Amino acid sequence: MNTVNVVGLEIDTRHYINGQRVASAETFTNTSPIDGSFLGEISRGSQTEVDLAVQAAKSAFPAWAALGPKGRGEKLLKLAELVEENIESLAQLETMDNGSLLRSHRRGVMPRVALNIRFFAEWAINELQHPEFETRGHTNKISWDPSGVAALITPWNAPLMLATWKIGPALAAGDTVILKPAEWTPLSASFFADLTKQAGIPDGVFNVVQGYGKEAGAALVAHAGISRISFTGSVPTAKIIAKSAADNLTPVSFELGGKSPCVVLEDADLDLAVELAVEQYDNAGQVCLSGTRILVHESIADEFAIKFKEKAAKIIQGDPREEATQIGPQIHQVHFERVKGFVDRAKESGANIVMGGEPNSELGGLYFRPTLVMNPDPESEIVTSEVFGPVLCMQTFSSDEEAIEMANSTEFGLAAVLVSGNKDRAEKVAKELVAGTIWVNCFFVRDLRAPFGGSKKSGIGREGGNWSFDFYADVKNTVFSPNGWKE
Ligand code: ADP
């Protein structure tokens, strides 16, 4: 059986290589985090399928590259339209597969998927500058040439959103693509592959190889035929991929984990601060950007904690398909156990857990209650490691300098939230925070023109706007002499 019926859609469970569906002898089982229900047996890729996909992507590359930004743009804009026409199907499918909120998929995430494609297609046509300048009468002409085959390895927490954040610029830059979606959430990529076919994207330009990271993923990133690797995932996996990429000197772009601070200065609007802090539970904490370390000035800490607990106690946890639900389940039993392990060990070491701290027994399954750990030992793993679940820590500070020191004290540097009532002060503190994105009195505002990525162990490189093209394209300078011309 090569298809499964999920939310009324026929989803192909095979790879998508060279415009064809390709089955593997072996499969892996895909289940829904909502209720553990069986979703399908998915083709399990290996070296063989990776070789086929690289071959297909290499063969398709010259013609795709030759189309130029406008020729590619026509097809990519069609693809964006098709995503828009299928928002409801994609939203339902993604929710079944990864357990994130249906209403966010409908209203925010899937429209954003379409934008990820459209934005980069239009950027390549209209915004990418080709500067020219003179050097002693010689003319430098800068161009952005397609680089070859981009390998894209993506995680499960926002599957199609994060995949298209890479697919959009890679295809717009003229690269051909092989996507390896996360093994816990393969379905939206398969549906998306059908849309690329409908959009007239030529065979071999976009390919999907499904499978485990250690098999399909490892074979892909080690392949000598790959010109770029863009990866979003965990630090340990990034280290393995970096070693593999080193053999071929393949350029990498990494967006990794975080343990971001949410810093609340004593002049903050307290209600806003509480609202922003509670938002850090979004997607059941399965967001790399989450400000999971709530750092609050000691003078307002008690009041903040009371208001925070009041608001967090009202969070409605449940089936992500229900309109009222605010947070759903963890993605998978393995991940659920990992999150629970962090909290259990914190308990054993005497940490003060003032909210949650256990699975939601009313719901069962993979639902873990929103948890708050109060004043944990700053050296403990609950403060220093990424939990990737609905687990926040609250700590206090007594000066801006101490807040900055605490905020910068982990090995990560992906993002930071800063809440303050004074603009000058906020600017001073923000300047000292080491992170790729700082949100002042806000959270999750993300413009595709802006650079996005992590400092320290949170990543290598930036994507977004020109930064994406810097990575996916071969940037070239051609220097024309004033001499030697015959006409
Ligand atoms: P997470 O903890 O979010 O699951 P991972 O980094 O393990 O993070 O997974 C993110 C993506 O990386 C997934 O698509 C996974 O299959 C892939 N992956 C895991 N291990 C490897 C590897 N050794 N080589 C390439 N990709 C891998």
Side-chain angles (χ1 to χ4, degrees):
M1 228 179 54
N2 293 325
T3 58
V4 284
N5 192 298
V6 184
V7 298
L9 302 166
E10 286 282 306
I11 304 296
D12 208 302
T13 53
R14 296 169 291 179
H15 314 284
Y16 181 73
I17 299 172
N18 208 17
Q20 310 297 321
R21 291 293 176 171
V22 176
S24 297
E26 294 199 63
T27 60
F28 61 96
T29 304
N30 183 29
T31 55
S32 174
I34 299 176
D35 51 10
S37 58
F38 173 79
L39 293 177
E41 282 297 323
I42 311 294
S43 273
R44 175 173 159 184
S46 62
Q47 186 73 51
T48 312
E49 292 81 1
V50 165
D51 287 344
L52 276 177
V54 175
Q55 192 48 52
K58 281 179 82 165
S59 305
F61 173 69
W64 182 246
L67 272 182
K70 283 216 174 83
R72 293 191 291 269
E74 273 172 31
K75 300 197 187 303
L76 293 173
L77 294 180
K78 177 74 192 152
L79 177 60
E81 265 172 40
L82 285 167
V83 168
E84 272 159 357
E85 285 166 22
N86 286 280
I87 280 178
E88 182 58 25
S89 298
L90 283 166
Q92 293 209 23
L93 183 65
E94 197 85 295
T95 292
M96 274 311 274
D97 206 10
N98 94 327
S100 298
L101 299 186
L102 179 57
R103 63 181 159 84
S104 338
H105 280 151
R106 271 184 187 142
R107 288 172 213 152
V109 178
M110 293 308 162
R112 186 68 179 224
V113 164
L115 183 66
N116 284 344
I117 308 289
R118 177 174 294 120
F119 172 90
F120 288 105
E122 289 178 345
W123 189 273
I125 297 167
N126 302 323
E127 303 294 333
L128 207 53
Q129 302 296 317
H130 298 265
E132 286 187 26
F133 45 86
E134 298 285 310
T135 310
R136 296 189 305 274
H138 296 61
T139 308
N140 298 268
K141 289 191 177 189
I142 315 297
S143 58
W144 306 71
D145 294 354
S147 76
V149 180
L152 312 180
I153 312 262
T154 50
W156 43 261
N157 59 326
L160 198 55
M161 160 67 209
L162 291 173
T164 49
W165 168 246
K166 301 177 191 301
I167 294 166
L171 291 181
D175 296 354
T176 53
V177 161
I178 302 168
L179 170 68
K180 208 299 281 172
E183 49 270 49
W184 290 341
T185 54
L187 300 183
S188 56
S190 182
F191 187 86
F192 181 82
D194 290 339
L195 299 184
T196 64
K197 185 94 171 171
Q198 284 175 45
I201 307 271
D203 293 350
V205 168
F206 176 74
N207 306 274
V208 181
V209 176
Q210 304 161 143
Y212 291 120
K214 285 186 181 140
E215 296 173 1
L220 184 56
V221 297
H223 206 293
I226 297 296
S227 72
R228 296 288 185 273
I229 297 168
S230 178
F231 166 75
T232 300
S234 64
V235 171
T237 302
K239 289 183 182 175
I240 297 170
I241 293 178
K243 283 182 188 140
S244 193
D247 279 340
N248 299 310
L249 287 179
T250 314
V252 297
S253 172
F254 286 166
E255 196 249 280
L256 309 177
K259 190 75 184 177
S260 299
C262 173
V263 181
V264 183
L265 304 184
E266 76 271 29
D267 61 8
D269 172 332
L270 205 60
D271 290 334
L272 175 66
V274 168
E275 193 183 314
L276 291 170
V278 172
E279 269 183 45
Q280 309 307 314
Y281 287 125
D282 279 4
N283 208 24
Q286 301 168 119
V287 179
C288 50
L289 298 158
S290 282
T292 46
R293 294 181 297 129
I294 314 284
L295 310 178
V296 187
H297 192 275
E298 60 187 11
S299 66
I300 55 165
D302 290 345
E303 201 188 344
F304 176 91
I306 291 168
K307 287 194 167 202
F308 178 93
K309 281 187 275 178
E310 261 173 31
K311 193 163 175 72
K314 292 192 190 129
I315 291 176
I316 300 172
Q317 185 167 33
D319 188 320
R321 293 165 295 188
E322 303 288 334
E323 187 70 19
T325 298
Q326 290 169 291
I327 72 168
Q330 299 298 289
I331 179 74
H332 192 274
Q333 190 69 38
V334 170
H335 184 63
F336 177 87
E337 296 299 341
R338 191 175 168 272
V339 171
K340 187 170 175 300
F342 270 110
V343 177
D344 288 348
R345 288 192 296 279
K347 275 186 198 161
E348 278 158 26
S349 66
N352 182 17
I353 295 180
V354 296
M355 243 185 59
E358 58 189 14
N360 187 326
S361 53
E362 287 161 33
L363 297 169
L366 302 180
Y367 295 80
F368 200 91
R369 287 192 192 281
T371 296
L372 181 65
V373 188
M374 191 61 89
N375 292 321
D377 173 357
E379 306 290 314
S380 62
E381 62 163 12
I382 204 85
V383 178
T384 57
S385 303
E386 183 176 45
V387 178
F388 221 64
V391 180
L392 305 183
C393 297
M394 183 174 151
Q395 297 165 277
T396 59
F397 60 85
S398 58
S399 66
D400 289 3
E401 291 67 34
E402 195 188 4
I404 291 161
E405 198 186 312
M406 288 168 79
N408 291 339
S409 66
T410 72
E411 61 174 0
F412 298 107
L414 191 56
V417 176
L418 172 64
V419 198
S420 167
N422 182 298
K423 215 169 176 193
D424 289 343
R425 189 173 176 192
E427 264 179 30
K428 271 190 204 131
V429 174
K431 192 167 174 292
E432 300 304 320
L433 296 176
V434 181
T437 304
I438 317 284
W439 281 295
V440 185
N441 291 353
C442 60
F443 181 51
F444 236 99
V445 180
R446 194 160 150 195
D447 191 312
L448 291 174
R449 291 171 295 184
F452 179 79
S455 305
K456 297 196 277 183
K457 294 277 190 297
S458 287
I460 296 179
R462 296 289 183 270
E463 294 193 31
N466 270 5
W467 292 274
S468 289
F469 290 91
D470 277 345
F471 175 68
Y472 290 107
D474 271 331
V475 189
K476 187 162 79 186
N477 183 23
T478 309
V479 185
F480 289 89
S481 167
N483 307 315
W485 308 107
K486 290 192 172 161
E487 45 188 270

Coordinates of all heavy atoms in Angstrom, one line a residue, residues 153-156 180-184 211-214 217-218 221 231-234 237-238 240-241 388, ligand 1:
I153 N 17.8 19.5 5.9 CA 17.4 18.6 6.9 C 16.6 19.3 8.0 O 17.1 20.3 8.5 CB 18.7 18.0 7.6 CG1 19.7 17.5 6.5 CG2 18.3 16.9 8.6 CD1 19.7 16.1 6.2
T154 N 15.4 18.9 8.2 CA 14.5 19.7 9.0 C 13.9 18.9 10.2 O 13.8 17.7 10.2 CB 13.3 20.2 8.1 OG1 12.8 19.1 7.4 CG2 13.9 21.3 7.1
P155 N 13.5 19.7 11.2 CA 13.0 19.1 12.4 C 11.4 18.9 12.4 O 10.8 19.3 11.5 CB 13.4 20.1 13.5 CG 13.3 21.4 12.8 CD 13.6 21.2 11.4
W156 N 10.9 18.4 13.5 CA 9.5 18.1 13.6 C 8.6 19.1 14.2 O 7.4 19.0 14.2 CB 9.3 16.8 14.3 CG 10.1 16.7 15.6 CD1 11.3 16.0 15.7 CD2 9.9 17.3 16.9 NE1 11.9 16.2 17.0 CE2 11.0 17.0 17.7 CE3 8.8 18.0 17.4 CZ2 11.0 17.4 19.1 CZ3 8.9 18.5 18.7 CH2 10.0 18.1 19.5
K180 N 15.1 16.2 3.5 CA 14.9 15.1 4.4 C 14.1 15.5 5.6 O 14.6 16.1 6.5 CB 16.3 14.5 4.8 CG 16.3 13.0 5.2 CD 15.4 12.6 6.3 CE 16.0 12.9 7.6 NZ 15.0 12.6 8.7
P181 N 12.8 15.3 5.6 CA 12.0 15.7 6.7 C 12.2 14.9 7.9 O 12.7 13.8 7.8 CB 10.5 15.6 6.2 CG 10.6 14.5 5.1 CD 12.0 14.6 4.6
A182 N 11.8 15.4 9.1 CA 12.0 14.6 10.3 C 11.2 13.4 10.3 O 10.0 13.4 9.8 CB 11.7 15.5 11.5
E183 N 11.7 12.3 10.9 CA 11.0 11.0 10.8 C 9.7 11.0 11.6 O 8.8 10.2 11.3 CB 11.9 9.8 11.2 CG 12.6 10.1 12.5 CD 14.0 10.7 12.4 OE1 14.1 11.8 11.7 OE2 15.0 10.2 13.0
W184 N 9.5 11.9 12.5 CA 8.3 11.9 13.3 C 7.2 12.7 12.6 O 6.0 12.6 13.0 CB 8.5 12.5 14.7 CG 9.3 11.6 15.6 CD1 9.5 10.3 15.4 CD2 10.0 12.0 16.8 NE1 10.3 9.8 16.4 CE2 10.6 10.8 17.3 CE3 10.1 13.2 17.5 CZ2 11.4 10.8 18.5 CZ3 10.9 13.2 18.7 CH2 11.5 12.0 19.1
G211 N 13.0 9.2 6.0 CA 13.8 8.2 6.8 C 14.4 8.7 8.0 O 14.2 9.9 8.4
Y212 N 15.2 7.9 8.6 CA 15.8 8.2 9.9 C 17.0 9.1 9.7 O 17.7 9.0 8.6 CB 16.3 7.0 10.6 CG 15.1 6.1 11.2 CD1 14.9 4.8 10.7 CD2 14.2 6.7 12.1 CE1 13.9 4.1 11.2 CE2 13.2 5.9 12.6 CZ 13.0 4.6 12.1 OH 11.9 3.9 12.6
G213 N 17.3 9.9 10.6 CA 18.5 10.8 10.5 C 19.8 10.1 10.4 O 20.6 10.4 9.5
K214 N 19.9 9.0 11.1 CA 21.2 8.3 11.1 C 21.4 7.5 9.8 O 22.5 7.0 9.5 CB 21.3 7.3 12.3 CG 21.5 8.0 13.6 CD 21.7 7.0 14.7 CE 22.0 7.8 16.0 NZ 21.3 7.2 17.1
G217 N 19.4 10.7 6.5 CA 20.1 12.0 6.8 C 21.6 12.0 6.7 O 22.2 12.8 6.0
A218 N 22.1 11.0 7.3 CA 23.6 10.8 7.3 C 24.1 10.6 5.9 O 25.2 11.2 5.5 CB 24.0 9.7 8.3
V221 N 24.0 14.1 3.9 CA 25.0 15.1 4.3 C 26.4 14.7 3.9 O 27.3 15.5 3.8 CB 24.9 15.6 5.7 CG1 23.5 16.2 6.0 CG2 25.1 14.5 6.7
F231 N 20.6 22.9 7.9 CA 20.1 22.0 8.9 C 19.4 22.8 10.1 O 20.0 23.8 10.6 CB 21.2 21.2 9.5 CG 20.9 20.4 10.7 CD1 20.1 19.3 10.7 CD2 21.5 20.8 11.9 CE1 19.8 18.6 11.9 CE2 21.2 20.2 13.1 CZ 20.4 19.0 13.1
T232 N 18.3 22.4 10.5 CA 17.7 22.9 11.8 C 17.5 21.7 12.7 O 16.8 20.7 12.3 CB 16.4 23.6 11.5 OG1 16.6 24.7 10.6 CG2 15.8 24.2 12.8
G233 N 18.0 21.8 13.9 CA 17.9 20.6 14.8 C 18.7 20.8 16.0 O 19.0 22.0 16.4
S234 N 19.2 19.7 16.6 CA 19.9 19.8 17.9 C 21.4 20.0 17.7 O 22.0 19.6 16.6 CB 19.6 18.5 18.6 OG 20.1 17.4 18.0
T237 N 23.4 16.6 16.9 CA 23.3 16.2 15.5 C 24.1 17.2 14.6 O 24.7 16.7 13.7 CB 21.8 16.2 15.1 OG1 21.1 15.3 15.9 CG2 21.6 15.7 13.7
A238 N 24.1 18.5 14.9 CA 24.9 19.4 14.1 C 26.3 19.1 14.1 O 27.0 19.2 13.1 CB 24.7 20.8 14.7
I240 N 27.7 16.1 14.4 CA 27.9 14.9 13.5 C 27.8 15.4 12.1 O 28.7 15.0 11.2 CB 26.8 13.9 13.8 CG1 26.9 13.4 15.2 CG2 26.9 12.7 12.8 CD1 25.7 12.5 15.6
I241 N 26.9 16.3 11.7 CA 26.7 16.7 10.3 C 28.0 17.5 9.9 O 28.5 17.4 8.8 CB 25.4 17.5 10.2 CG1 24.2 16.6 10.3 CG2 25.4 18.2 8.8 CD1 22.9 17.3 10.2
F388 N 13.1 21.6 25.6 CA 12.2 21.6 24.5 C 10.8 21.0 24.8 O 10.1 20.3 24.1 CB 12.8 20.7 23.4 CG 12.6 21.3 22.0 CD1 13.1 22.5 21.7 CD2 11.8 20.7 21.0 CE1 12.9 23.1 20.4 CE2 11.6 21.2 19.8 CZ 12.2 22.4 19.4
Ligands
ADP1 P1 15.5 16.8 17.4 O1 16.1 16.6 18.8 O2 14.8 18.0 17.1 O3 14.8 15.6 16.9 P2 17.7 16.2 15.6 O4 18.8 17.1 15.4 O5 18.0 14.8 16.1 O6 16.8 17.0 16.5 O7 16.8 16.0 14.3 C1 16.6 17.0 13.3 C2 16.7 16.4 11.9 O8 18.0 15.9 11.8 C3 15.7 15.3 11.7 O9 15.3 15.4 10.3 C4 16.6 14.1 11.8 O10 16.2 13.0 11.1 C5 17.9 14.6 11.3 N1 19.1 13.9 11.7 C6 19.3 13.2 12.9 N2 20.6 12.7 12.9 C7 21.2 13.0 11.7 C8 22.4 12.7 11.2 N3 23.4 12.0 11.8 N4 22.7 13.1 9.9 C9 21.8 13.9 9.3 N5 20.6 14.2 9.7 C10 20.2 13.7 11.0

